[in-house]
Amino acid sequence: MGKEIPWSFAKIRSGEQLNLKSRTFANVAALTAAGVTAAKNPGALIYLSAGGTGAVPCLAFSDGTNWKQVAVGANCI
């Protein structure tokens, strides 16, 4: 038997969407206060409702040491 695919990867492979808003955080300070640290969650991708510069929503990606900001760009067309 092959290796079991984690649920999130199975959803990606099947073309389903992932909902990053199941636990809403405003910014990295809120992540830290909740115990969600970059070191404990390498590879995690989290939506921050006010995480970007100037309280702009963004995605945060853990590189295992720090949270890296991924700016939300233009609308998809």
Side-chain angles (χ1 to χ4, degrees), residues 8 10 14 17 19 32-33 39 43-45 50 58 61 64 66 69-71 74 76:
S8 58
S14 69
Q17 69 179 14
N19 184 356
T32 304
L45 183 67
C58 71
F61 176 82
N66 296 299
Q69 178 178 313
V70 180
C76 295

Side-chain angles (χ1 to χ4, degrees), residues 27-73:
N27 52 36
V28 174
L31 289 174
T32 304
V36 183
T37 64
K40 291 180 185 176
N41 297 282
L45 183 67
I46 298 177
Y47 173 80
L48 300 177
S49 61
T53 305
V56 176
C58 71
L59 298 177
F61 176 82
S62 168
D63 66 2
T65 303
N66 296 299
W67 288 105
K68 303 292 186 175
Q69 178 178 313
V70 180
V72 178

